[in-house]
Amino acid sequence: MTELTRRNTMKLMSAALVAGVSFSSLPRKAFSGGSITVLNWQGYGTDEKWSVKAFTEKTGIAVVHDYYSSESEMLTKLRTNPGAYDLVIINAARCAQAVAEDLLQPIDFSKVPNVGAVDENLRSNPNFSKDGKSFAVPWVWGMTSLAIREGLPVPDSYAVLADAAYKGRVAMDDDAIINVAVGALMSGQDINDPKDLAAVTAALKSIKPNVKLLWSTEDQWNKSFAAKEFDLSLFWSGGSVRSKRNAKLPVQFVVPKEGGIGWVDGLAIPASAPNAEGALAFANWMIDPAFYVEWATKVGAPASSNSAALSALPADDLSRQVHKPEYLKTMGIMSALPDDRREAFNNLWQEVKAFYAE
């Protein structure tokens, strides 16, 4: 599932202890100390030892972690452990559900100074708000879009997936939600709630002559691309950075006119958090350019929600080049799906896959 794969790829990045970080932007010890407990995926930014150490030295706040292996498990932990967590990393697609269940408290942005540089398209995302109140600090983001072999014409639309020029040269992400979103964009519909599923099905079936591979892992994608099994594919923005930087593959990430299929993770405070003030200080540090530049360049990270942090990356940094600020204005962000809609999407994709196999 998409919710797992983008974090699991973090495990492919080298574990690095980073020195020389400037922590001038951290608040001085104006807190009562104590500790905060963060609920997150393991190895996903918040538990970098060098960062936690510096944060504790500067603020007097110790940082403890607990982990989840799926977003449904994260929600279960919030429901069944009141008072256990001070900060939780939550995807936009799950935030509205958590807010509806009263699992989160509103965010006081005045205590998160760095939020002023967070892109407005992320800060105002309706998945993170209710009744005019914000319930998460946008943290990091990424996209699924098109990846093409360098040297080939740069496509300007997802319609290229059905272009006869790519007969037998296309790879598709074997994920129902992503593919329905692509079919929705190809037929001019909302990625989260397409009303005409027949048109989505028809759009995806039109790609059949070109489909060479249905991939499910980044490693599989890299090996198949390196073997020249395909030239054009659906792919993750962060995956394209790693494929080019680490595997030295000649891949170009392209966001067509319809926009990328985006995701964004936020930093939220559980309703029963015992140390909300400490959690806000840590959230502020997580979107600080000083933290992000070290995380992104020395370890590897998704795109920061903080435009100042992205701008602080070296000009030739691949993540900066791929995650252009203008894409935030055109991409749709995946939202929570009701069970019946999710089932319909899954059934649609199974039908399309069976059609591909005929």
Side-chain angles (χ1 to χ4, degrees):
M1 293 298 292
T2 304
E3 67 175 11
L4 294 178
T5 51
R6 72 167 176 268
R7 275 76 168 202
N8 284 346
T9 56
M10 300 299 292
K11 298 177 183 178
L12 300 176
M13 302 172 184
S14 60
L17 292 178
V18 183
V21 185
S22 172
F23 298 105
S24 60
S25 54
L26 275 175
R28 299 193 178 277
K29 292 187 180 180
F31 305 95
S32 58
S35 67
I36 59 170
T37 299
V38 178
L39 181 61
N40 193 5
W41 307 85
Q42 189 166 12
Y44 189 40
T46 62
D47 55 1
E48 290 293 328
K49 291 182 179 179
W50 55 271
S51 171
V52 169
K53 180 175 183 290
F55 176 80
T56 300
E57 288 177 349
K58 193 70 174 182
T59 65
I61 302 170
V63 181
V64 179
H65 274 81
D66 188 18
Y67 301 105
Y68 53 82
S69 58
S70 70
E71 288 170 343
S72 57
E73 181 188 1
M74 175 267 295
L75 290 172
T76 297
K77 287 196 169 194
L78 290 180
R79 294 182 189 115
T80 58
N81 297 282
Y85 305 112
D86 300 288
L87 191 72
V88 59
I89 282 60
I90 190 165
N91 186 262
R94 294 288 185 172
C95 190
Q97 181 179 355
V99 172
E101 296 183 34
D102 295 323
L103 296 175
L104 304 178
Q105 60 178 272
I107 298 289
D108 182 354
F109 280 154
S110 71
K111 296 183 179 179
V112 190
N114 284 321
V115 82
V118 168
D119 190 277
E120 178 58 28
N121 291 283
L122 298 178
R123 195 165 64 241
S124 62
N125 186 279
N127 293 288
F128 285 151
S129 61
K130 182 181 179 182
D131 299 332
K133 298 178 181 179
S134 298
F135 287 84
V137 176
W139 180 37
V140 290
W141 62 277
M143 299 169 287
T144 294
S145 189
L146 298 174
I148 192 162
R149 193 172 298 274
E150 290 181 344
L152 293 176
V154 177
D156 69 348
S157 171
Y158 288 104
V160 72
L161 294 168
D163 189 326
Y166 293 96
K167 184 176 181 179
R169 304 300 298 167
V170 168
M172 300 290 284
D173 183 356
D174 189 7
D175 183 285
I177 309 305
I178 291 297
N179 281 284
V180 169
V182 169
L185 290 173
M186 291 176 69
S187 56
Q189 300 187 69
D190 183 343
I191 65 171
N192 293 303
D193 189 19
K195 302 300 184 183
D196 188 351
L197 291 183
V200 171
T201 302
L204 294 174
K205 286 185 174 181
S206 73
I207 302 170
K208 177 181 177 177
N210 297 354
V211 177
K212 171 69 174 181
L213 172 71
L214 298 181
W215 62 273
S216 57
T217 68
E218 190 168 313
D219 181 64
Q220 179 189 12
W221 193 97
N222 285 338
K223 289 178 178 177
S224 297
F225 188 81
K228 299 185 178 180
E229 293 181 13
F230 63 89
D231 296 313
L232 175 67
S233 177
L234 295 179
F235 202 27
W236 310 317
S237 55
S240 74
V241 171
R242 290 184 292 275
S243 296
K244 191 176 182 70
R245 182 180 60 201
N246 301 341
K248 310 302 181 186
L249 295 175
V251 58
Q252 181 176 358
F253 189 77
V254 179
V255 179
K257 60 187 178 184
E258 297 93 346
I261 301 163
W263 60 266
V264 56
D265 285 338
L267 305 157
I269 299 179
S272 55
N275 190 359
E277 186 172 351
L280 288 171
F282 192 65
N284 191 57
W285 172 234
M286 285 292 99
I287 60 172
D288 194 290
F291 162 75
Y292 179 73
V293 169
E294 293 297 325
W295 183 32
T297 59
K298 303 294 173 50
V299 183
S304 176
S305 67
N306 186 340
S307 55
L310 273 179
S311 297
L313 291 173
D316 61 352
D317 183 86
L318 287 173
S319 185
R320 177 176 176 177
Q321 293 174 359
V322 164
H323 299 100
K324 298 177 182 178
E326 57 261 36
Y327 293 156
L328 290 171
K329 296 178 174 61
T330 60
M331 77 178 188
I333 295 178
M334 291 185 289
S335 298
L337 296 175
D339 289 342
D340 59 343
R341 194 180 307 162
R342 184 178 294 275
E343 182 180 4
F345 287 7
N346 286 331
N347 290 341
L348 186 158
W349 180 233
Q350 291 304 316
E351 177 186 341
V352 171
K353 286 204 298 181
F355 179 74
Y356 288 166
E358 291 176 356

